[in-house]
Amino acid sequence: MRIDIISVAPDLLESPFNHSIIKRAKNKGLAEIIIHDLREYGLGNYKQIDDTQFGGGAGMVMMIEPIANCIKKLQVERSYDEIIYMTPDAKTLNQSTANTLSLKENILILTGHYKGIDQRVRDKYITKEISIGDYVLTGGELAAAVLVDAVVRLIPGVIGDEQSALTDSFQDNLLSPPVYTRPAEFEGMKVPEILLSGNFPKIDDWRSEKAFERTEQIRPDLLED
Ligand code: ADE
């Protein structure tokens, strides 16, 4: 999968993509992540990328020309399955969206700053808008990093133990059951007996039961779907 990201703060994206699973995915050739500095497409000597809003109001708006020029240049080289805009005023990211996106070949992600982007960019170029939660970040870079992490780890071959991604929380609309490792007893706190029993069908039942209980307590809304 190839992921292109358009950003006004490319430095912010350096670190998240150079660690652990994402790094491994890149090294294995399963994911290619290319960052494009929107400033390079800015207008005039000052490389302007934003301006005051029509109709008045606080905050600068990202202009359509630099973004359109950048997107058009990238589209000459390849067509994108999705052009995604990271913004708080969109549907919230969930596991199902991450699953769907992990099957795509080429994704372009646009990250916003300031008061947002000119609506005409959204109307003309954006095929999908994603928020990572009901709060406002300084810019879309960290949101894009969250999206890329959630998607890339699902690409077949990225995680060594395939089962591990499939049994994550949310894959079946349930939170994960509790997990334990050695020692079997710590300061009087014992690991549930069943997990030491070697009876794997029973262990599966126990895990399903605990996943359901946890979901009922913490995220009952997931059970409504
Ligand atoms: N940009 C700023 N806040 C955001 C959010 N919550 N989700 C996605 N992009 C954003």
Side-chain angles (χ1 to χ4, degrees):
M1 170 187 268
R2 175 170 166 134
I3 303 174
D4 289 274
I5 305 177
I6 304 175
S7 162
V8 289
D11 293 354
L12 265 178
L13 291 165
E14 283 295 314
S15 172
F17 300 143
N18 283 314
H19 285 282
S20 69
I21 284 175
I22 308 280
K23 187 173 177 183
R24 203 188 321 153
K26 290 200 309 190
N27 290 345
K28 280 188 183 172
L30 296 169
E32 198 183 352
I33 302 169
I34 317 280
I35 320 254
H36 306 272
D37 187 352
L38 184 65
R39 188 67 66 178
E40 288 174 14
Y41 298 81
L43 308 182
N45 287 343
Y46 293 103
K47 298 283 175 199
Q48 186 184 0
I49 51 166
D50 60 341
D51 208 338
T52 53
Q53 30 179 331
F54 280 128
M60 303 292 274
V61 175
M62 287 169 66
M63 303 163 83
I64 187 166
E65 287 134 297
I67 298 172
N69 288 341
C70 182
I71 293 177
K72 280 189 212 160
K73 178 163 176 246
L74 294 173
Q75 281 177 324
V76 170
E77 287 155 33
R78 67 189 50 75
S79 66
Y80 288 95
D81 301 304
E82 296 283 6
I83 302 183
I84 300 169
Y85 175 47
M86 303 308 301
T87 177
D89 55 347
K91 283 215 174 120
T92 315
L93 176 64
N94 60 22
Q95 194 62 43
S96 158
T97 304
N99 289 346
T100 308
L101 290 175
S102 74
L103 302 173
K104 307 285 183 195
E105 293 241 318
N106 296 316
I107 291 180
L108 175 57
I109 303 175
L110 173 64
T111 60
H113 261 252
Y114 319 111
K115 196 79 193 163
I117 58 174
D118 190 301
Q119 179 60 37
R120 290 167 292 183
V121 176
R122 298 169 80 158
D123 296 342
K124 178 152 184 177
Y125 295 105
I126 302 300
T127 60
K128 197 172 194 58
E129 300 188 328
I130 297 178
S131 163
I132 62 157
D134 292 340
Y135 42 82
V136 178
L137 302 167
T138 317
E141 281 76 12
L142 296 180
V146 168
L147 174 66
V148 170
D149 190 294
V151 169
V152 168
R153 63 192 293 283
L154 296 171
I155 297 172
V158 169
I159 293 189
D161 174 5
E162 302 287 343
Q163 269 314 102
S164 159
L166 294 175
T167 57
D168 284 339
S169 276
F170 303 114
Q171 279 297 3
D172 45 12
N173 255 8
L174 291 176
L175 302 186
S176 288
V179 292
Y180 299 86
T181 185
R182 279 189 281 264
E185 183 172 343
F186 176 73
E187 295 181 355
M189 293 186 292
K190 289 186 179 157
V191 168
E193 205 68 46
I194 182 78
L195 296 177
L196 311 174
S197 69
N199 185 337
F200 295 104
K202 279 244 163 77
I203 292 174
D204 280 347
D205 289 347
W206 180 87
R207 287 186 171 146
S208 300
E209 201 180 298
K210 292 290 162 193
F212 188 81
E213 272 174 30
R214 245 191 194 179
T215 311
E216 217 172 21
Q217 275 172 12
I218 304 170
R219 292 291 307 277
D221 55 301
L222 291 176
L223 298 174
E224 284 160 23
D225 292 341

